[in-house]
Amino acid sequence: MLLRCQKDAVPCVIATIIEVEGSAYRREGTRCLFMPDGQVIGIVSGGCIEEDLRMHADEVLKSGEPRRVRYDFRTGEDEEWGTGVGCNGAIALWLELFDPVGKPEEAEWIAGDMRNRLKATAPYEAATVIATSDAARMPPGTRWVRKAGAYDGRLGTDRKAGIVPDTIGDIQVELLVERISPRPELIIVGVGEDARLLCRLARMLQWRVTILYHKTEKASPERFPEADEIRLIPRLAFEQADVAGKYAVIMTHQLELDREAVRKMLSDEIAYLGLVGSRSRLERILQDLTAAQGPLEPHLLEKLYSPVGLDIGAETPQEIALSIMAEMTAHRRGRSGAPLRNRKGIPSASGFARASALKEESHV
């Protein structure tokens, strides 16, 4: 959307979370856009601060000057913002103007930064000046990149973004440092309706998507407008796929194609290989491969997910796509895919009853 604003010469305000203390709905580096017509693209909270932020964004649109805004929700659930905000922390945001007409040079800094993030093929760190002791020489909003690892000691290994004080020459600055990773890449082997839905959902979640298939009228940009690439290969030539570090889902619904795709794509290099179909279909494919080339190595079988997806009772193509994306996301994040409430348990019904009784007594 930001790049569209540049193309259409439309100004907007970018709100970025730069600091989080305690629990919050989103973390450092999260952004949203405030448009001149009042529209908000993206979310930085559960909806509890966007209205107030809109007023600050309007001021930034008028003045052109960036500003820092802080919200502290630790005073009590309902003491501020009316009905509670669903978190128990404090967040600081930085609001900056994106104006491709009035400030084209600064807008190009921001747009160029975004293009770099979308095209990244290797990790790196992006730094943005938030505060400076010499705005004339090092204005807020100045951006540059550094090799990954430059700030690891100060950010901490478990953080992807944060504020870092620094000295550049004789100028004191505060930097928002963000660790940028390449977009996860998904190869979809298939051109059916379920492949279209999975492609659409993956792109919505900012994955880079390649459709891999042999030449057919269904393997077209018109049918897959969200795909980053449509790669046509000779039939069964799945060895031509570049699978290193990537995720792949086979959904051809043809036994011969499925078998050859598994045989040629399941390798040490691939991160994850999903296969749509029943368990009996998987067993048939594994039996065929074992008969032709011997048993697959156990470490390779661990990369093969079939039936693909989390067990959410998916029935429709849309639900199946959701199930697959959920499993791949959990795999990528190193999570189990189990309910979040299982991490610390859930209060018992009796506990809720006691809490309610105490609350009632306090009002007597």
Side-chain angles (χ1 to χ4, degrees), residues 9 31 35 47 91 107 122 148 153 238 263 265 308 313 326 350:
R31 290 170 167 80
M35 308 303 292
I91 64 172
F238 297 108
R263 184 171 75 86
M265 296 178 70
V308 67
S350 59

Side-chain angles (χ1 to χ4, degrees), residues 56-126:
H56 291 286
D58 288 343
E59 292 299 318
V60 173
L61 271 172
K62 295 175 184 176
S63 69
E65 296 299 320
R67 65 173 57 183
R68 190 186 308 223
V69 183
R70 180 178 171 83
Y71 298 92
D72 194 335
F73 308 121
R74 294 171 295 188
T75 55
E77 183 175 326
D78 295 315
E79 292 179 19
E80 291 189 42
W81 310 101
T83 60
V85 297
C87 57
N88 186 30
I91 64 172
L93 299 100
W94 192 61
L95 279 65
E96 62 179 332
L97 177 66
F98 179 81
D99 186 355
V101 175
K103 296 188 175 183
E105 183 177 357
E106 291 88 340
E108 181 53 34
W109 288 347
I110 300 170
D113 179 38
M114 179 59 64
R115 286 192 292 268
N116 288 338
R117 295 173 186 228
L118 293 174
K119 295 177 181 178
T121 58
Y124 69 93
E125 289 183 345

Side-chain angles (χ1 to χ4, degrees), residues 251-284:
M251 46 201 334
T252 74
H253 306 291
Q254 297 182 43
L255 182 60
E256 180 188 25
L257 294 177
D258 285 357
R259 181 176 57 240
E260 286 302 299
V262 171
R263 184 171 75 86
K264 295 177 178 178
M265 296 178 70
L266 186 59
S267 65
D268 291 325
E269 290 77 23
I270 199 167
Y272 168 109
L273 182 63
L275 173 64
V276 172
S278 65
R279 191 170 300 278
S280 61
R281 185 183 185 87
L282 171 65
E283 292 173 353
R284 168 71 183 278

Side-chain angles (χ1 to χ4, degrees), residues 299-313:
H299 74 281
L300 291 180
L301 286 175
E302 290 181 359
K303 293 174 177 282
L304 181 58
Y305 289 75
S306 184
V308 67
L310 295 183
D311 183 7
I312 61 172

Side-chain angles (χ1 to χ4, degrees), residues 56-279:
H56 291 286
D58 288 343
E59 292 299 318
V60 173
L61 271 172
K62 295 175 184 176
S63 69
E65 296 299 320
R67 65 173 57 183
R68 190 186 308 223
V69 183
R70 180 178 171 83
Y71 298 92
D72 194 335
F73 308 121
R74 294 171 295 188
T75 55
E77 183 175 326
D78 295 315
E79 292 179 19
E80 291 189 42
W81 310 101
T83 60
V85 297
C87 57
N88 186 30
I91 64 172
L93 299 100
W94 192 61
L95 279 65
E96 62 179 332
L97 177 66
F98 179 81
D99 186 355
V101 175
K103 296 188 175 183
E105 183 177 357
E106 291 88 340
E108 181 53 34
W109 288 347
I110 300 170
D113 179 38
M114 179 59 64
R115 286 192 292 268
N116 288 338
R117 295 173 186 228
L118 293 174
K119 295 177 181 178
T121 58
Y124 69 93
E125 289 183 345
T128 303
V129 176
I130 301 298
T132 173
S133 62
D134 191 335
R137 295 163 57 198
M138 185 71 67
T142 302
R143 286 163 161 83
W144 65 89
V145 301
R146 297 191 180 191
K147 292 181 180 179
Y151 288 100
D152 282 353
R154 284 180 281 181
L155 271 182
T157 57
D158 62 338
R159 296 180 65 193
K160 293 184 177 180
I163 293 294
V164 172
D166 206 343
T167 301
I168 302 175
D170 59 349
I171 301 175
Q172 302 295 315
V173 295
E174 276 189 318
L175 303 175
L176 171 65
V177 178
E178 300 173 83
R179 294 196 183 100
I180 308 301
S181 299
R183 287 191 296 162
E185 296 193 50
L186 171 62
I187 300 171
I188 298 176
V189 182
V191 291
E193 184 61 25
D194 54 354
R196 293 179 66 190
L197 290 168
L198 181 60
C199 176
R200 190 176 306 154
L201 181 56
R203 184 59 184 272
M204 186 184 302
L205 297 175
Q206 300 299 310
W207 288 53
R208 188 183 190 281
V209 184
T210 296
I211 303 297
L212 182 75
Y213 210 64
H214 55 266
K215 188 174 182 179
T216 170
E217 63 180 13
K218 289 186 177 182
S220 67
E222 292 75 22
R223 185 169 170 80
F224 291 93
E226 296 88 0
D228 294 274
E229 180 183 2
I230 297 177
R231 186 174 180 195
L232 301 180
I233 59 172
R235 194 173 189 276
L236 305 181
F238 297 108
E239 72 279 359
Q240 295 186 12
D242 176 13
V243 300
K246 300 176 184 178
Y247 287 67
V249 176
I250 302 167
M251 46 201 334
T252 74
H253 306 291
Q254 297 182 43
L255 182 60
E256 180 188 25
L257 294 177
D258 285 357
R259 181 176 57 240
E260 286 302 299
V262 171
R263 184 171 75 86
K264 295 177 178 178
M265 296 178 70
L266 186 59
S267 65
D268 291 325
E269 290 77 23
I270 199 167
Y272 168 109
L273 182 63
L275 173 64
V276 172
S278 65
R279 191 170 300 278

Side-chain angles (χ1 to χ4, degrees), residues 17 19-20 23-28 30-31 42-46 91:
I17 297 178
E19 289 182 290
V20 173
S23 63
Y25 189 74
R26 306 296 301 275
R27 303 303 301 179
E28 292 93 339
T30 301
R31 290 170 167 80
I43 57 174
V44 291
S45 76
I91 64 172

